[in-house]
Amino acid sequence: MAISAQSAKAFEDHNHQRCCGEVLEQAHKLATSGGLRLTPVRRRTLEILLEEHRAMGAYEVLERLAKDGFGKQPPVAYRALEFLVENGLAHRIRRLNAFAACMTPGQPHAPAFFICELCNCVAEVQDVSVRQAVEAAAAGIGFGVSRANVEVVGTCPACHKGRDQ
Amino acid sequence: MAISAQSAKAFEDHNHQRCCGEVLEQAHKLATSGGLRLTPVRRRTLEILLEEHRAMGAYEVLERLAKDGFGKQPPVAYRALEFLVENGLAHRIRRLNAFAACMTPGQPHAPAFFICELCNCVAEVQDVSVRQAVEAAAAGIGFGVSRANVEVVGTCPACHKGRDQ
DNA sequence: GCAAGAAATGTAATGTTATTACATTACCTG
DNA sequence: CAGGTAATGTAATAACATTACATTTCTTGC
Ligand SMILES: [Zn+2]
Ligand SMILES: [Zn+2]
Ligand SMILES: [Zn+2]
Ligand SMILES: [Zn+2]
């Protein structure tokens, strides 16, 4: 049995201010050490994604950026988001046509996303056993994995509880 | 270790005529026994999806349907596709904004999709261990799973071989 | 410091995917 | 065959995403 289910901050009571702060700091470190340019739009985009543990559509991000004085056209948001995704600072959630900040930037990645269909919160979990199962299945059919999306829809602990009343 | 990687027809030499035929027959059975109405548009849509082991966009399906004398507007395709998905005769591949015929309709379902980024073919694999890993991860964070998307991008056996020359 | 090139940003236009709303037709049921 | 329900057809629009190109900012070798 492989190591499984790490903490899913999104579903736990936690100091979110600090939670964001840590991720932003980590992002900053990665930028300086890795030669990435975390420009104002990009940084602001990451901050916006970090505000809540949920995914945001590109146009929702764009609206926020426009209010903050950045450009008003879709490429402004899409470019910033693309940069974040390519550099491991955000993830794209295909199921939602949306983006979420990465909660463990810079670390080895095999994320699974758990999306609550009631409150829309999204938890990113680094789960080795899911990845291993995918790799094993791929090996069984001679498939070479380059990227895997694991997106699970259901109810988060809080909403799950509420529903059973 | 759980049972893993069943056959992935899409990646194997096989009698595809027969492969389609079986799925269509199975779909027909399900329809009659389950009280589903597999109307002409819906049946034709399924046939179109079955022609190749790849996913098709709704507008691509629509074009084909229109040529066959059905309606020319998006809802024609989207409705037929929605019907097929809801009744387990097709799957939606979020990663591709596209749809693929289900290769094992009527049977218990925990599909993972393997998408070749070179030839665009898509294999549907019923893999218990992937599902188990997802369930375990979910249990670990108190999440109640209702649906899971597992979509893996990479290279299929044929393309993988070709690339190593 | 300052030109030349590269990277990032801003904007307009357009392409692609998906849904809403409503009229019409086909189907079932008594 | 009337009355209700499910399915289909069409128009309009919404939501998501990309291309193309002008402009600015940053870097780098001199
Ligand atoms: Zn937090
Ligand atoms: Zn991550
Ligand atoms: Zn086949
Ligand atoms: Zn299936």
Side-chain angles (χ1 to χ4, degrees):
Chain A
M1 206 54 175
I3 305 105
S4 194
Q6 278 89 333
S7 86
K9 278 269 178 73
F11 297 158
E12 294 164 11
D13 257 342
H14 68 286
N15 183 337
H16 185 58
Q17 198 82 356
R18 187 169 163 181
C19 160
C20 293
E22 283 171 6
V23 173
L24 273 171
E25 192 189 345
Q26 187 61 21
H28 193 69
K29 271 188 202 161
L30 283 172
T32 49
S33 75
L36 304 181
R37 292 181 52 192
L38 197 55
T39 61
V41 219
R42 290 166 176 176
R43 187 185 169 88
R44 185 76 195 105
T45 301
L46 182 55
E47 286 172 2
I48 289 168
L49 290 183
L50 277 168
E51 283 173 9
E52 294 176 60
H53 286 285
R54 67 180 181 91
M56 284 181 92
Y59 278 75
E60 198 180 350
V61 169
L62 177 60
E63 235 174 76
R64 299 285 310 273
L65 290 175
K67 269 184 198 160
D68 293 350
F70 297 103
K72 292 172 171 47
Q73 302 298 322
V76 171
Y78 279 100
R79 279 195 290 233
L81 290 165
E82 185 188 30
F83 171 88
L84 295 175
V85 169
E86 279 183 355
N87 293 286
L89 300 174
H91 296 287
R92 188 166 195 162
I93 315 292
R94 315 295 308 208
R95 171 111 213 165
L96 302 175
N97 292 324
F99 300 81
C102 174
M103 299 314 293
T104 61
Q107 292 168 228
H109 253 72
F113 297 96
F114 291 83
I115 305 162
C116 179
E117 56 197 339
L118 297 177
C119 73
N120 293 118
C121 65
V122 174
E124 177 184 357
V125 173
Q126 303 302 327
D127 190 294
V128 177
S129 64
V130 171
R131 179 68 183 208
Q132 280 177 345
V134 167
E135 292 282 1
I141 57 173
F143 188 90
V145 175
S146 60
R147 288 175 304 286
N149 285 111
V150 178
E151 301 176 358
V152 186
V153 178
T155 48
C156 74
C159 293
H160 197 62
K161 240 181 192 168
R163 207 160 61 162
D164 293 341
Q165 282 170 353
Chain B
M1 206 56 173
I3 304 104
S4 193
Q6 278 89 334
S7 86
K9 278 269 178 73
F11 297 158
E12 294 163 12
D13 257 342
H14 68 285
N15 182 339
H16 184 58
Q17 198 81 356
R18 186 168 162 183
C19 159
C20 293
E22 284 171 5
V23 173
L24 273 171
E25 192 189 345
Q26 188 61 20
H28 193 70
K29 271 188 202 161
L30 283 171
T32 49
S33 74
L36 304 180
R37 292 180 53 192
L38 196 55
T39 60
V41 220
R42 291 166 176 177
R43 187 185 170 88
R44 186 75 195 105
T45 301
L46 182 55
E47 286 172 1
I48 289 168
L49 290 182
L50 277 168
E51 284 173 7
E52 294 176 60
H53 287 285
R54 67 179 181 92
M56 284 180 91
Y59 279 76
E60 197 180 350
V61 169
L62 177 59
E63 232 174 79
R64 300 284 310 273
L65 290 174
K67 268 183 199 163
D68 292 351
F70 296 102
K72 291 173 170 47
Q73 301 299 322
V76 171
Y78 280 100
R79 279 195 291 235
L81 290 165
E82 185 188 29
F83 171 87
L84 295 176
V85 169
E86 278 183 356
N87 294 286
L89 299 174
H91 296 287
R92 187 165 197 163
I93 315 291
R94 314 299 305 210
R95 172 112 213 163
L96 303 175
N97 292 323
F99 300 81
C102 174
M103 298 314 293
T104 61
Q107 292 168 227
H109 253 73
F113 297 95
F114 292 83
I115 305 161
C116 180
E117 56 196 339
L118 297 177
C119 73
N120 294 117
C121 64
V122 174
E124 177 183 358
V125 174
Q126 303 302 326
D127 190 295
V128 176
S129 64
V130 172
R131 179 68 184 208
Q132 280 177 344
V134 167
E135 291 282 1
I141 57 173
F143 188 90
V145 175
S146 60
R147 289 174 305 285
N149 286 113
V150 179
E151 300 175 358
V152 186
V153 177
T155 48
C156 75
C159 292
H160 198 62
K161 241 182 191 167
R163 207 158 62 160
D164 293 341
Q165 282 170 354

